[in-house]
Structure formats: structure tokens, C-alpha cells
């Protein structure tokens, strides 16, 4: 009996060891699978990055676009000065609303173009910080201060007078009310339908006329203020270009 039990025990141990060996062989290694997955992810991400960089490098600005340099801005300011509306020798009659609005609209358009041209100065003078010397920084700071001062003078002295004429305060009022009598098709009852028509009317006609008088009275000086600041800005740009050449840093920028 004891010998038989020993044989059976040894056979069971052999079978168990063989099952463990087969299980170990058939079980996949998790570390290898993870490494394969990580390798695939890294490869796909690198492919995506290279494709995105290729797409970015293939994009270009339109051929018709050319950034303004300071010389172009200066010449544009001189051309703009010739489009500033003149004031007739006899002045502008404040009672002629059409002439007043025409002159104010032309002056407002000139100021808007002036402000847009000054916006291009920042791009025209751009340099990375380490590519600009201390003297160049000082020259650029002086130019920026003068340009800002010119805009402030026009915005404070000219723009409000133009706005009072071009965009006066108005109120929405009921201009007409009509009443229609209708009949309900289902019940046969009659009812009234009220229709209101609205219009915009001047809030204070006396104040608007006063704004026209003030604009016409000061038209000569308003024009002179705008032209003076245009002349000042183009002179500042000219002086900045001279200072840049003296500093010797102008050769490192393609915008000048």
C-alpha cells in the first residue's frame, strides 16, 4: 500500500509541474507588450509632429502682401497730408448741414488712416531683444513717445468735435400709430390691432446746431492741428532713421 501511494504522489507532482511549465510558456509577458505599445505610440506621435511641421513650413503669406517699412510709412503720411480737406476762404456755413457733414466725414477718414499707419510702425521697428543695442532701445522709446503724443493731441482736440457732428445723440420715439379692426375667423369676434412705427430723432437740436457752429468756427485750426501732427510724425521717423544709422544697428534689420 505504501509503495502504491508513493507512485501516485510522484505522478501527481509530475503532472502539476508540467501544467505550471505550460502555463508559464503560454502566458504573455506584460512588460514586452507595454514596450511594444509605447514604441508604437512614440512612432505615431513623431509621425504626427513631422506631418504638422511639414504643413506649417508649406504655408506662406500671400504674394501680394508686403509689410510697410518706415520709409513707406513716411511717404504714406506725406501723401495723406495732401488729402486733408481744405477749408474755403469764406469758411463753412454751419446752417448747410450737407457741407458740414461732408467736411467732417473727410476729416474723420483722414484721421482713421493716420492711426492705421501709426499701427504699422511697431512691426516696422521690430527686433528681438538681444539684437537691439541700448542706444537703439532709447531711440525706439523716444519715437514711440512722440507717436503716442501726436495721437493723443488729435484724439483730444479734433476727434470729439467731429463725433458731436457725425454721431449726435438721438432718441427712439413713436412717430405713427395705426389701429386696424380685425375679426376672429373662429369666434367671429371683432378686435383691434395697434401698430406702432418708430423713428430716430435728434435728442437736442439746439445742442447739435451748436456743435456745427463750433466745428465750422474752428475748422481752420482743426485742420492745422492734424497737419502739424502729421508733419511731426514724419519728421520723427526721419530722425529715427538717421539715429539708427549712426548707432550702426540698422544693418541688422530688414524692415528699414
Amino acid at each position: 500500500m505504501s509503495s502504491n501511494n508513493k507512485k501516485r504522489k510522484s505522478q501527481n507532482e509530475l503532472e502539476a509541474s508540467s501544467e505550471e511549465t505550460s502555463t508559464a510558456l503560454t502566458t504573455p509577458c506584460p512588460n514586452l507588450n507595454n514596450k511594444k505599445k509605447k514604441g508604437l505610440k512614440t512612432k505615431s506621435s513623431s509621425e504626427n509632429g513631422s506631418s504638422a511641421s511639414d504643413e506649417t513650413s508649406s504655408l506662406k503669406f500671400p504674394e501680394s502682401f508686403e509689410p510697410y517699412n518706415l520709409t513707406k510709412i513716411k511717404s504714406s503720411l506725406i501723401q495723406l497730408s495732401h488729402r486733408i480737406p481744405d477749408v474755403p476762404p469764406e469758411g463753412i456755413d454751419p446752417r448747410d448741414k450737407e457741407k458740414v457733414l461732408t467736411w467732417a466725414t473727410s476729416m474723420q477718414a483722414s484721421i482713421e488712416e493716420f492711426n492705421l499707419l501709426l499701427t504699422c510702425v511697431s512691426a516696422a521697428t521690430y527686433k528681438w531683444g538681444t539684437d537691439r543695442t541700448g542706444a537703439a532701445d532709447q531711440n525706439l522709446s523716444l519715437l514711440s513717445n512722440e507717436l503716442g503724443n501726436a495721437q493723443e493731441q488729435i484724439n483730444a482736440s479734433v476727434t470729439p468735435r467731429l463725433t458731436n457732428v457725425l454721431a449726435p445723440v438721438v432718441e427712439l420715439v413713436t412717430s405713427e400709430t395705426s389701429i386696424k379692426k380685425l375679426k376672429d375667423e373662429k369666434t367671429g369676434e371683432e378686435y383691434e390691432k395697434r401698430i406702432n412705427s418708430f423713428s430716430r430723432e435728434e435728442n437736442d437740436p439746439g445742442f447739435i446746431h451748436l456743435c456745427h457752429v463750433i466745428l465750422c468756427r474752428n475748422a481752420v485750426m482743426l485742420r492745422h492741428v492734424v497737419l502739424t501732427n502729421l508733419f511731426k510724425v514724419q519728421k520723427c521717423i526721419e530722425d529715427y532713421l538717421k539715429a539708427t544709422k549712426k548707432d550702426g544697428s540698422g544693418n541688422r534689420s530688414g524692415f528699414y
Side-chain angles (χ1 to χ4, degrees):
M1 291 292 293
S2 61
S3 61
N4 292 333
N5 291 334
K6 289 180 179 179
K7 290 180 180 180
R8 290 177 181 176
K9 187 175 180 181
S10 61
Q11 289 178 356
N12 292 335
E13 290 177 354
L14 290 173
E15 291 176 357
S17 62
S18 62
E19 289 178 357
E20 291 177 356
T21 304
S22 61
T23 303
L25 292 173
T26 56
T27 302
C29 181
N31 294 332
L32 292 176
N33 290 336
N34 291 336
K35 290 181 179 179
K36 289 180 180 179
K37 291 180 180 179
K38 289 180 180 178
L40 291 173
K41 289 182 180 179
T42 305
K43 186 177 181 180
S44 61
S45 62
S46 61
E47 290 177 353
N48 293 334
S50 61
S51 61
S53 61
D54 293 339
E55 292 178 358
T56 305
S57 61
S58 63
L59 294 176
K60 295 181 180 179
F61 275 91
E63 295 180 358
S64 59
F65 170 75
E66 184 178 355
Y68 278 13
N69 55 21
L70 291 179
T71 304
K72 176 65 176 177
I73 294 173
K74 177 187 172 184
S75 63
S76 298
L77 289 172
I78 296 175
Q79 294 174 7
L80 177 61
S81 65
H82 294 280
R83 297 196 300 271
I84 301 297
D86 293 324
V87 180
E90 68 278 6
I92 304 174
D93 187 0
R95 294 169 294 183
D96 192 342
K97 291 185 177 181
E98 185 176 354
K99 285 186 178 180
V100 175
L101 290 176
T102 300
W103 190 87
T105 302
S106 179
M107 180 63 75
Q108 181 65 30
S110 300
I111 293 175
E112 290 174 358
E113 185 176 350
F114 169 71
N115 289 328
L116 291 174
L117 284 172
L118 292 192
T119 305
C120 298
V121 173
S122 176
T125 56
Y126 169 75
K127 278 186 183 180
W128 195 247
T130 55
D131 295 336
R132 185 180 287 113
T133 63
D137 281 334
Q138 185 177 4
N139 293 333
L140 183 59
S141 178
L142 292 173
L143 176 66
S144 300
N145 291 337
E146 294 298 336
L147 298 185
N149 180 262
Q151 284 183 305
E152 288 176 1
Q153 288 188 8
I154 293 177
N155 292 335
S157 302
V158 183
T159 302
R161 291 175 170 83
L162 297 175
T163 304
N164 289 336
V165 172
L166 296 175
V169 179
V170 296
E171 287 183 350
L172 189 64
V173 298
T174 304
S175 60
E176 184 181 355
T177 301
S178 60
I179 300 175
K180 292 184 179 180
K181 291 185 178 182
L182 301 175
K183 189 176 183 180
D184 194 339
E185 296 179 357
K186 295 182 179 179
T187 61
E189 296 181 356
E190 293 184 355
Y191 63 94
E192 292 182 349
K193 184 177 180 180
R194 186 183 298 269
I195 301 175
N196 295 325
S197 299
F198 298 92
S199 63
R200 296 179 181 272
E201 294 186 1
E202 296 176 352
N203 185 17
D204 190 350
F207 176 74
I208 295 175
H209 176 69
L210 177 62
C211 292
H212 284 219
V213 172
I214 293 173
L215 181 69
C216 296
R217 184 174 63 213
N218 298 299
V220 175
M221 283 305 303
L222 293 175
R223 180 176 183 273
H224 190 73
V225 169
V226 174
L227 286 173
T228 300
N229 283 280
L230 280 172
F231 178 81
K232 171 188 173 181
V233 168
Q234 67 88 22
K235 187 68 170 62
C236 288
I237 293 176
E238 182 180 350
D239 292 341
Y240 176 78
L241 291 175
K242 291 180 181 179
T244 302
K245 290 180 181 179
K246 289 181 180 179
D247 180 53
S249 60
N251 297 328
R252 289 183 286 177
S253 176
F255 271 99
Y256 300 116

